[in-house]
Amino acid sequence: EKVPKFGLTMGINTILEAKKIYLIATGEAKIPVFTKLMKLAHPTPDIPASFLLAHHDLTIFTDLRV
């Protein structure tokens, strides 16, 4: 009964078509991957959010201290 009845998925290419992207990363559990994300020189499938860094209008909101 806790299984969602509906879901929405969207690929990176579709997301990158947006005029503006907001990336929200909160909570200590996100620190390791967020730290890797911010150190990347090139996008990698290992961290799908890394492809968002190339977007022309990306805003990142975070409470993380990395």
Side-chain angles (χ1 to χ4, degrees), residues 4-5 21-22 26 28 31 37-38 41-42 45 47 54 59 61 63:
K5 294 181 181 180
I21 297 176
Y22 295 101
T26 61
E28 289 188 27
I31 290 175
L37 172 68
M38 299 314 296
H42 303 285
I47 304 177
T59 301
F61 295 95
D63 64 350

Side-chain angles (χ1 to χ4, degrees), residues 15-66:
I15 294 169
L16 290 174
E17 291 176 3
K19 292 180 183 177
K20 182 160 193 63
I21 297 176
Y22 295 101
L23 174 62
I24 302 170
T26 61
E28 289 188 27
K30 299 285 189 335
I31 290 175
V33 72
F34 190 78
T35 301
K36 290 178 187 176
L37 172 68
M38 299 314 296
K39 291 180 180 180
L40 288 174
H42 303 285
T44 174
D46 295 336
I47 304 177
S50 65
F51 290 92
L52 302 179
L53 298 177
H55 193 272
H56 66 279
D57 198 354
L58 170 69
T59 301
I60 300 173
F61 295 95
T62 185
D63 64 350
L64 307 178
R65 294 189 179 158
V66 295

